[in-house]
Amino acid sequence: MEEVVLGIDLGTSAIKIIAVNRQGEVLETVSEPLKLFQEQPGYSEQDPNEWFQATKRGVKRIISSNALKNKAVKGLSFSGQMHGLVVLNKEGQPLRNAILWNDTRNSEQCRQIKEVYGERLNYNPILEGFTLPKMLWVQQHEPEIWEQVNVFMLPKDYLRYCLTNQINMEYSDAASTLLLNPKTNLWTKDVGSIFNIPDIYPSLVNSHECVGYVSELLADELGLKHQVAVFAGGGDNACGAIGAGVINDKEALCSIGTSGVVLNVEHNHVTEYDQNLHFFNHSIPNTYYAMGVTLAAGYSLNWLKTTFFENDSFAQILDSAESAKLGANGLLFAPYLAGERTPHGDAYIRGSFIGISGQHKKADFARAVIEGITYSLYDSIKIMREAGHEINSITSIGGGAKSKFWLQLQADVFNMKVKKLKHEEGPSMGAAMLAAYGLGWFESVADCVETFIKVEEVFKPNAENHKRYEQFHNVYQRVYKQTKELTKELLAITK
C-alpha cells in the first residue's frame, strides 16, 4: 500500500491540506475557508475552534477522495500563520479568540517594551505584529482573562494540540514571539518577568520532531485507518522556504501573497540586523533566516483591481502593466496601504502615487503598482546585502510567480537570477516535507528537496534594465521621508 504524508497549512483566509507520496507527487489538495473578525480598526481575530473544525473537514475530504484510495497516511505536519496569540486555561480550552499577526491594536504595548529594550529585542524589531505585545494587551485590557491563562500557544500549535493532546512549540515559530533567543534556543523568561508574565511557556521541540500521534477517537472520526505520526512543523515562512527548496546559504525566497516576504537563509550564524529585518530560526536545526516584510504586496494589487480594474482578471492587469514603459512613464507607487514593516516599521504611513500627469493611462498605474511592490521587496534585499550577506539566486513563489513579466521584472530590479518552480504548493509542501523527513523517508531535508522540488525556469537580469530600475528605486526610497509627516496630518484631520 502506497504511503503518503499530509501537509496542513493554517493560513489567514483558509486552511490548505495536501497529500504527497514518497516521490513528492501531490495526489490531492483541499482548502477550507476561515472567518476573520475585525470588530474595530486595527483588530484582527479568529476563533481557534473554527481552525480545528475546518481542519477536520479538510482531512475528511482528502482521506475520502479517490486519489487516496488504497493509500496509507503515515504522518502529517503543519505550517501556520505566525505571531498569533492563543491562550488556554488549565482545562486546555481557549480563553478568547486568537489575536492575529496583522492585528495592530498594541502600539502602546510596543512603546512600553521599547522603553526597556530600545528598538530591538532578541534580534528582532519590536513591532505590533509580534506576540509579546499582544500578551501585554490582554494582560492590561482583559485582566480577568489573563488571570486564567495557563499556557500560550501560536496558531498551528493549537491545531497540533487538538490532534495529539500534547502542548509544545517549535523554534521557527517561537522565534516570532520576541520571547525566544535564537542564539541560545531558550525562552528569555527574564524578559517575561519584567512584564509580569508568569511561567506560561510551552516546551520547545524541533520542527521535524514527532510530538505524538492522532488520538484514536479522532482518527476514527477522520477516517484514518492507520496510526498517524504528528510532527511539529514550522512557521509559514520557514515552511514556505522549505517547500520552495530554499535551505542553503546564499539562497533567498521571494513570496508575494497578501503581504510580501524576502527571506535569506543563514547557517550557524546569528546576525544583528537593523531597519526592521526579522531574524528567526529556520525549521532546519542550526539554520536561521533573515526576513523583510512588505505589508501590502498582493493586497496592493488586489486594491488596484477592485478600485480601477474591477472587470479585468489579474492576468489582464499584468498584461496591461507589461504594455507600459519601464518606470511607468515616470509614475511611482509606494505600497503602504496598510502601513509598512521593512524597512520603516510604521503602522501609520499610507500609500501614494508620485508623478501623476495628464499623460498617464491605466496601464501606467498598473505597472507602477507592480514596480512599487517590487521596489519595497528590493529594500529588504539591499539591507541583507549591506549586512554582508551574498545572495546568488532567489526563488519566487505566490502571486509574483504566476506571471513571466513579473518574474523578469523581479530579476531586473533585484539584479539576480529568479527561479520559477515547476510545481508550487507553498508552505503546505514544506509541512509535508518535514513529515516525510521526520518519518525517515529521507536522510536529510536536502535529500527531500532534491526529490520533491523541481525548477521550471530561470529568469536572468537584464543589466540595462537594472540600471534604469536602480534610478527609479533611488527616488522611491525618498518617498517615505517626504510623505511621513503629511500622512500624519492627513490622518489627524480625517478621524
Side-chain angles (χ1 to χ4, degrees):
M1 184 175 286
E2 187 178 18
E3 296 180 344
V4 300
V5 291
L6 302 183
I8 303 174
D9 176 41
L10 169 55
T12 310
S13 59
I15 286 178
K16 178 182 176 181
I17 306 174
I18 64 172
V20 187
N21 65 14
R22 282 179 178 256
Q23 290 72 47
E25 298 170 330
V26 178
L27 304 179
E28 186 63 278
T29 301
V30 301
S31 180
E32 290 285 337
L34 296 171
K35 296 176 185 175
L36 187 65
F37 303 106
Q38 295 179 302
E39 295 180 359
Q40 297 183 46
Y43 281 42
S44 185
E45 299 185 353
Q46 285 179 327
D47 179 0
N49 288 315
E50 189 197 353
W51 296 337
F52 183 42
Q53 296 306 317
T55 300
K56 288 199 294 183
R57 290 194 301 271
V59 171
K60 286 179 183 178
R61 283 175 57 200
I62 208 164
I63 293 300
S64 62
S65 68
N66 289 331
L68 263 69
K69 279 186 178 179
N70 301 317
K71 306 289 193 299
V73 177
K74 299 299 292 181
L76 60 84
S77 189
F78 297 91
S79 161
Q81 48 170 291
M82 300 168 71
H83 310 298
L85 175 65
V86 181
V87 286
L88 306 185
N89 61 17
K90 290 181 179 179
E91 289 72 41
Q93 298 299 314
L95 287 161
R96 68 176 325 282
N97 281 343
I99 303 178
L100 303 191
W101 62 275
N102 56 350
D103 189 292
T104 58
R105 75 184 75 176
N106 52 46
S107 295
E108 169 59 22
Q109 286 69 40
C110 288
R111 186 192 64 77
Q112 294 167 13
I113 299 169
K114 288 178 181 179
E115 282 185 350
V116 180
Y117 289 102
E119 292 299 315
R120 296 179 75 86
L121 172 61
N122 281 324
Y123 298 88
N124 279 288
I126 298 166
L127 300 169
E128 286 84 356
F130 287 87
T131 316
L132 174 58
K134 301 181 196 304
M135 296 167 78
L136 298 188
W137 188 93
V138 175
Q139 179 193 81
Q140 294 167 22
H141 290 268
E142 298 175 343
E144 70 287 352
I145 288 176
W146 183 253
E147 289 173 2
Q148 302 175 62
V149 176
N150 184 58
V151 67
F152 86 94
M153 311 180 80
L154 296 174
K156 74 164 191 330
D157 302 316
Y158 177 75
L159 271 187
R160 195 175 59 244
Y161 159 67
C162 290
L163 295 184
T164 64
N165 295 315
Q166 301 298 314
I167 292 176
N168 37 54
M169 191 182 295
E170 50 72 44
Y171 296 105
S172 75
D173 238 357
S176 79
T177 64
L178 285 181
L179 287 166
L180 183 90
N181 184 333
K183 200 166 189 175
T184 64
N185 280 344
L186 296 173
W187 291 118
T188 51
K189 295 183 180 180
D190 57 324
V191 173
S193 64
I194 286 176
F195 298 104
N196 298 313
I197 294 174
D199 193 356
I200 57 173
Y201 303 87
S203 60
L204 293 163
V205 296
N206 286 309
S207 294
H208 65 275
E209 196 169 325
C210 179
V211 296
Y213 297 85
V214 177
S215 63
E216 288 187 24
L217 190 64
L218 189 56
D220 289 341
E221 180 185 348
L222 299 177
L224 295 166
K225 296 181 175 62
H226 307 271
Q227 188 178 59
V228 179
V230 178
F231 299 89
D236 56 3
N237 289 305
C239 282
I242 291 175
V246 179
I247 61 172
N248 297 313
D249 287 345
K250 301 180 183 179
E251 293 180 343
L253 175 76
C254 177
S255 174
I256 300 176
T258 302
S259 61
V261 166
V262 170
L263 180 158
N264 177 39
V265 177
E266 301 180 23
H267 277 92
N268 299 307
H269 184 70
V270 177
T271 302
E272 279 278 13
Y273 285 101
D274 56 13
Q275 299 186 72
N276 293 304
L277 273 191
H278 308 347
F279 188 84
F280 298 142
N281 299 63
H282 207 335
S283 285
I284 306 165
N286 302 314
T287 309
Y288 307 91
Y289 65 89
M291 185 177 80
V293 179
T294 296
L295 286 180
Y299 178 68
S300 292
L301 188 59
N302 189 65
W303 167 82
L304 179 77
K305 181 185 186 312
T306 56
T307 307
F308 297 109
F309 291 87
E310 190 174 2
N311 297 319
D312 293 339
S313 67
F314 285 110
Q316 288 172 316
I317 295 171
L318 285 160
D319 286 343
S320 181
E322 187 174 8
S323 72
K325 293 180 181 178
L326 186 156
N329 286 308
L331 182 63
L332 271 176
F333 172 69
Y336 307 146
L337 304 187
E340 188 57 305
R341 181 77 63 85
T342 308
H344 306 301
D346 188 341
Y348 301 103
I349 190 65
R350 293 295 177 262
S352 56
F353 284 99
I354 305 294
I356 302 173
S357 78
Q359 302 302 311
H360 285 115
K361 309 298 183 186
K362 285 176 68 174
D364 298 312
F365 282 87
R367 179 140 192 161
V369 168
I370 299 298
E371 290 179 343
I373 295 166
T374 312
Y375 293 150
S376 177
L377 295 165
Y378 185 38
D379 280 344
S380 294
I381 292 172
K382 277 202 161 186
I383 297 168
M384 292 170 184
R385 286 172 167 166
E386 288 164 3
H389 290 277
E390 185 179 352
I391 306 174
N392 290 340
S393 67
I394 193 159
T395 300
S396 185
I397 65 172
K402 299 188 189 312
S403 158
K404 289 190 175 184
F405 157 67
W406 201 349
L407 286 163
Q408 185 61 54
L409 194 150
Q410 290 174 55
D412 293 345
V413 172
F414 301 157
N415 197 30
M416 74 173 82
K417 292 184 295 184
V418 173
K419 300 177 184 177
K420 173 180 169 55
L421 299 177
K422 187 173 183 179
H423 302 292
E424 183 202 319
E425 295 293 341
S428 56
M429 176 59 86
M433 292 167 70
L434 287 170
Y437 172 50
L439 283 167
W441 288 3
F442 300 92
E443 290 187 6
S444 67
V445 175
D447 289 339
C448 188
V449 166
E450 189 173 344
T451 299
F452 278 43
I453 308 302
K454 304 298 179 187
V455 174
E456 179 178 83
E457 192 170 358
V458 178
F459 295 80
K460 297 178 180 179
N462 178 298
E464 288 302 314
N465 286 350
H466 176 69
K467 287 179 183 177
R468 293 283 290 137
Y469 279 126
E470 196 71 36
Q471 290 177 308
F472 285 110
H473 182 253
N474 288 338
V475 178
Y476 166 86
Q477 286 188 303
R478 301 203 296 273
V479 171
Y480 172 76
K481 290 181 180 179
Q482 299 289 340
T483 60
K484 180 179 179 180
E485 293 304 318
L486 293 174
T487 301
K488 279 185 180 179
E489 289 185 38
L490 280 172
L491 289 176
I493 63 177
T494 54
K495 285 183 178 178

